[in-house]
């Protein structure tokens, strides 16, 4: 992945102004969306940062305990790059609140939450949904009341849930069982 090339690029004179992206090891889920929603809604509450901090401590613990799927850098690379991981609650909150776009390419269980987070932050989103996970999301229902069980139903569910503000386009690569090419995005 491109992220693996960043350490090599940073040493080059031509890209000396390039800042390596920072990341948070948390799950993009309904808990994150709700924590941001509560923080943004509690304009007069002096305890709102304390609640965010409690969420952040729990979220980072869950993120560290989660088993990474797919691409994973080796532990040695992680040890040498600790400066890129955001670990302070205030910095994480500021980073999330200053986001300009939410992108989910093969976001798995984060599909709904990614769109919800973008809508909560009032920023654009684009997602390329893939896996459906029907047993993890039994409350996903189509307008006719039926459960979402396959990819085409997931797309229909997302379109129904976010109508009329969601758009759909096909990306220019081959659609397969594992490589989906349909992008859903906000106008």
């Amino acid at each position: 992945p491109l992220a693996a090339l960043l350490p090599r690029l940073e040493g080059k004179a031509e890209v000396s102004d390039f800042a390596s992206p920072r990341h948070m090891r948390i799950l993009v889920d309904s808990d994150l969306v709700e924590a941001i929603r509560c923080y943004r809604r509690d304009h007069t509450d002096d305890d709102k940062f304390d609640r965010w901090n409690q969420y952040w401590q729990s979220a980072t613990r869950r993120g560290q305990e989660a088993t990474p799927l797919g691409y994973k850098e080796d532990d040695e690379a992680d040890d040498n790059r600790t400066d890129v991981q955001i670990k302070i609650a205030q910095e994480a909150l500021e980073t999330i609140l200053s986001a300009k776009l939410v992108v989910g390419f093969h976001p798995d269980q984060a599909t709904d939450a990614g769109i919800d987070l973008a809508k909560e932050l009032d920023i654009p989103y684009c997602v390329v949904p893939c896996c459906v996970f029907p047993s993890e999301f039994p409350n996903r229902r189509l307008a006719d009341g039926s459960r979402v069980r396959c990819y085409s139903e997931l797309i229909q569910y997302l379109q129904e849930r976010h109508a009329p503000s969601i758009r759909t386009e096909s990306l220019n690569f081959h659609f397969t069982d594992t490589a989906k090419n349909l992008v859903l995005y906000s106008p």
Side-chain angles (χ1 to χ4, degrees), residues 30-49:
S30 60
D31 292 342
L32 170 62
V33 175
E34 185 59 25
I36 292 295
R37 182 175 291 126
C38 288
Y39 184 85
R40 294 182 77 218
R41 300 291 187 272
D42 294 340
H43 296 293
T44 59
D45 188 350
D46 292 335
D47 295 329
K48 70 181 186 177
F49 184 75

Side-chain angles (χ1 to χ4, degrees), residues 130-173:
C130 53
C131 305
V132 179
F133 299 98
S135 62
E136 292 185 39
F137 297 99
N139 295 328
R140 281 181 178 160
R141 301 281 175 171
L142 298 174
D144 67 6
S146 61
R147 286 193 55 206
V148 173
R149 296 186 181 277
C150 66
Y151 178 76
S152 62
E153 292 171 345
L154 175 61
I155 299 302
Q156 181 182 347
Y157 160 80
L158 293 168
Q159 290 172 322
E160 290 174 356
R161 184 170 178 241
H162 299 290
S165 66
I166 194 166
R167 304 287 185 262
T168 306
E169 288 292 332
S170 293
L171 300 174
N172 191 19
F173 58 85

Side-chain angles (χ1 to χ4, degrees), residues 80-97:
N80 294 329
R81 304 287 303 163
T82 57
D83 61 314
V84 299
Q85 186 171 350
I86 296 172
K87 296 184 178 184
I88 299 168
Q90 181 68 37
E91 186 179 2
L93 179 63
E94 290 168 0
T95 300
I96 293 168
L97 293 176

